Amino acid sequence: MTEKEMLQKNIEEFARLQKYMVLTQDKESAAYKEMKGRYIELKVILTACGINLTELDIIKE
């Protein structure tokens, strides 16, 4: 997998994960906490790769 393909995959996962987080009503549930952990991981990865998350990050946590 090329670097470009990996970035695209991570951006798509980040966007999809945020949609799931928005749909989750119970922010204290185990599922939401797992999603939030992955959300933070993806933010770190994408930021380290130089991706500006200003437009992509709808959760902003």
Side-chain angles (χ1 to χ4, degrees):
M1 182 177 290
T2 67
E3 184 178 339
K4 184 178 178 180
E5 290 170 329
M6 184 62 77
L7 283 174
Q8 179 180 354
K9 179 183 172 215
N10 285 329
I11 289 169
E12 289 169 350
E13 182 181 352
F14 186 70
R16 187 177 326 114
L17 180 61
Q18 287 187 94
K19 288 177 190 175
Y20 298 151
M21 290 174 75
V22 168
L23 293 172
T24 304
Q25 294 178 1
D26 183 6
K27 307 297 185 206
E28 296 302 317
S29 70
Y32 187 86
K33 289 176 182 178
E34 286 295 319
M35 287 187 281
K36 187 170 180 184
R38 182 61 178 149
Y39 163 83
I40 292 168
E41 292 170 356
L42 287 167
K43 274 184 86 163
V44 169
I45 291 167
L46 294 172
T47 302
C49 291
I51 304 296
N52 182 345
L53 296 177
T54 304
E55 296 294 323
L56 296 173
D57 190 2
I58 60 174
I59 302 295
K60 302 192 187 320
E61 287 185 16

